[in-house]
Amino acid sequence: MRRSAGKEDAGATTASPFALASTSGARQNSTMDRWELACIDTTLQSPGTTSIRYTSRAQSSLVKRRGTTTTPRPAGGGANVRWYRRPGRGVLQAPAIPMSAAREMEQSEHTLVDALLAGDEGTFEKVVSQYQHRLVRVARLYVRTDAQAHDVVQETWLAVLRGLSKFERRSSLRTWLFHIVANRARTHAVREGRLVPFGDGEADGRDHSAEAAWFDAQGSWAQPPAGWPSLDPEALLLGAETRATLLRAIDALPDGQRAVVVLRDVDGLDAAEVCNVLEISETNQRVLLHRGRTKVRAALAGTLKRPGR
Amino acid sequence: MLSCKDVSERCTDYLERELTWRDRVQYWMHLAMCAVCRRYVGQMRTTAALLKRVGDDVPLHAPLDPALREAFRATREGRPPS
C-alpha cells in the first residue's frame, strides 16, 4: 500500500518556521487518525487528499531516493523526494512533520530568542508581525471591542520587552506570549466587570440539546447527517460560502467554546497549552472543544448540503 | 457495544487520540459497520481541518508600530518600558 502525501503535508513543510511551530502538533493528530480511518473505509477519502506520513519507527524502514519514478509528492513539499517502503516491514504510519523539521523549528526558536535578547530589531519586527494578529485574536476572546484588544496587545508587547531577559524558555515563546496576552485581557475584562469564567454552563449537559434530537431512544441515528460534496478541506474552501460560514460559526459560539476552538484549532495550540492559557481544566477543555466543533460542523452542514442526498 | 450516539459524543476524543487503546478498537469496530457514523466522523474531521486553515492567512508584513520600536530600542539600551 503506497500513498502520496497530500496537500496538507506540502503546506506544513513549506510554511515558515513560525507557522510550523503553531500548527505541527494539532496537524499530527488529525493526520494520524485520517490514516487509521482510511484503513477501515477508504471511501471516506477522495483520491489525492489522503495524507500519509511516517512514524519515526516506521521511518527507519523507508528509503528516500531522488529522481526516480514512484509516488510523486506534490510540488512544494520537497518535490523530487520520493518515499519508498522497504519490503517486509510493518504497516505504514504517519506523523505530521519529519523529525528534522521539528528540531529545526526548536532550533529556530532558540536563535530567535537569542536574537531578541541580543537586541536585534529586525527579529523583534518579525516576531511582532507574526504574532500581532494572533494575539489580538486571543485578547478579543475576553474584551469587547477590537480597539480594546489592540490596546491589550500593545501592553503585552511592552510587558514582553520588560520580561524578555527573564524568559526562561521553559515554555515556547508562543505559549509565553499567549499567556501574557490572556492575563492582560483578563485583567481588562475584570476591570470592566465582565469576566465570565469559561466553561460554566457550556461544558455540562445543558448545552446538548441539538445533538440529542439526532438520535432515537436506542442511540441510533434518527436524523442521519447529509453527505457533503467533498471532505477535502482545500476543495471546500474553494467554495465562497465555506470560509464565511466558518467565521460566522466561530463568532456565534458561546465564549468558552469559541476560546477553545480558536486556540486549539485556529491557532493550533495543544490541549495543555490551551488549559494553561485559558486557565481551565483539562476536562472542560475537551468538552468545550467537542461542543464547539460540533456546532461549527452543523453550521457547515447547513451550507454544504448537497441536493439529492 | 458503542451506539451511534456514543460515537458522536466521543468523536473529538477519537480524533484527538484521547481514547484508550481499548476504546479505540471499539470505536473502529463501530465505524467499520456503520456508514452513517463514518460519514459523521469524516465531517467532524474535515471541520477541524477547516478550522485549522482559517488561521493560516497571515496578514502581509506590517511596519512595526513606532511606539513599540522606541520601546524596543529603549530596552536594548537598558531602559525597559515602564
Side-chain angles (χ1 to χ4, degrees):
Chain A
M1 182 174 111
R2 198 193 294 128
R3 286 164 189 283
S4 64
K7 290 168 188 158
E8 193 178 313
D9 193 9
T13 46
T14 50
S16 71
F18 259 92
L20 215 62
S22 68
T23 53
S24 59
R27 292 223 166 135
Q28 179 161 346
N29 286 342
S30 78
T31 357
M32 293 199 57
D33 278 285
R34 186 174 300 196
W35 171 77
E36 283 154 8
L37 205 58
C39 289
I40 296 168
D41 179 36
T42 47
T43 60
L44 267 177
Q45 310 283 346
S46 40
T49 63
T50 324
S51 264
I52 285 293
R53 295 163 186 138
Y54 308 87
T55 56
S56 44
R57 196 169 59 86
Q59 202 150 14
S60 62
S61 73
L62 291 161
V63 195
K64 209 180 191 181
R65 284 180 216 151
R66 285 178 181 275
T68 28
T69 52
T70 7
T71 322
R73 288 156 68 90
N80 47 12
V81 176
R82 289 155 220 271
W83 290 92
Y84 287 81
R85 188 170 165 236
R86 207 174 268 160
R89 293 294 294 266
V91 257
L92 289 177
Q93 284 191 39
I97 305 175
M99 282 303 284
S100 60
R103 219 171 287 134
E104 246 169 56
M105 182 193 90
E106 221 170 79
Q107 200 68 38
S108 77
E109 186 174 302
H110 262 274
T111 45
L112 205 68
V113 174
D114 286 340
L116 279 178
L117 285 170
D120 180 51
E121 198 172 299
T123 307
F124 182 62
E125 195 160 356
K126 194 168 90 186
V127 171
V128 172
S129 80
Q130 284 280 355
Y131 278 99
Q132 179 75 14
H133 69 291
R134 300 176 65 189
L135 297 184
V136 169
R137 196 153 56 200
V138 176
R140 195 66 178 74
L141 297 171
Y142 291 95
V143 300
R144 213 173 318 169
T145 66
D146 286 343
Q148 283 172 312
H150 277 99
D151 289 348
V152 168
V153 173
Q154 189 79 2
E155 276 178 31
T156 300
W157 289 120
L158 297 178
V160 165
L161 289 177
R162 277 195 298 275
L164 191 61
S165 57
K166 292 182 279 288
F167 176 53
E168 288 171 6
R169 307 184 196 206
R170 265 183 308 202
S171 65
S172 68
L173 182 64
R174 170 182 67 158
T175 312
W176 188 55
L177 292 175
F178 277 42
H179 195 79
I180 297 176
V181 78
N183 273 333
R184 299 253 143 196
R186 267 194 291 270
T187 311
H188 267 251
V190 168
R191 218 180 292 150
E192 286 182 4
R194 85 175 273 274
L195 184 68
V196 194
F198 289 150
D200 286 12
E202 291 175 40
D204 63 22
R206 277 178 284 165
D207 192 41
H208 210 161
S209 43
E211 289 149 83
W214 294 344
F215 302 98
D216 61 22
Q218 284 76 46
S220 300
W221 288 98
Q223 301 167 26
W228 289 1
S230 164
L231 288 178
D232 174 17
E234 305 293 343
L236 291 176
L237 280 172
L238 293 177
E241 263 302 287
T242 310
R243 213 189 137 73
T245 307
L246 274 171
L247 295 175
R248 262 201 313 274
I250 295 172
D251 275 344
L253 291 175
D255 288 343
Q257 294 172 21
R258 186 172 57 248
V260 175
V261 165
V262 164
L263 290 179
R264 250 333 261 283
D265 287 338
V266 180
D267 268 311
L269 271 63
D270 65 33
E273 285 178 302
V274 172
C275 295
N276 180 312
V277 168
L278 296 179
E279 299 186 340
I280 57 177
S281 71
E282 169 60 38
T283 314
N284 261 358
Q285 191 274 148
R286 275 178 45 216
V287 176
L288 291 173
L289 179 67
H290 179 69
R291 299 257 187 279
R293 278 190 191 167
T294 305
K295 290 207 179 82
V296 175
R297 190 212 69 92
L300 284 169
T303 316
L304 297 174
K305 226 180 296 166
R306 184 163 51 171
R309 279 192 67 177
Chain B
M1 200 60 233
L2 291 176
S3 69
C4 297
K5 189 165 185 241
D6 297 328
V7 167
S8 95
E9 280 168 2
R10 311 177 87 172
C11 171
T12 302
D13 289 341
Y14 169 73
L15 293 174
E16 296 300 325
R17 298 179 65 82
E18 276 158 14
L19 294 180
T20 62
W21 183 84
R22 186 184 292 266
D23 287 346
R24 198 167 188 79
V25 171
Q26 282 196 328
Y27 207 97
W28 284 339
M29 280 162 57
H30 184 104
L31 288 184
M33 294 182 306
C34 180
V36 181
C37 283
R38 279 202 299 277
R39 170 184 286 179
Y40 182 77
V41 171
Q43 292 179 356
M44 283 291 277
R45 187 194 311 275
T46 299
T47 301
L50 283 168
L51 284 167
K52 285 176 174 110
R53 277 164 181 70
V54 171
D56 275 359
D57 51 339
V58 178
L60 294 172
H61 181 85
L64 186 59
D65 178 82
L68 282 183
R69 187 184 300 280
E70 196 42 53
F72 184 77
R73 288 182 180 162
T75 308
R76 190 170 53 188
E77 287 152 21
R79 304 177 279 115
S82 49

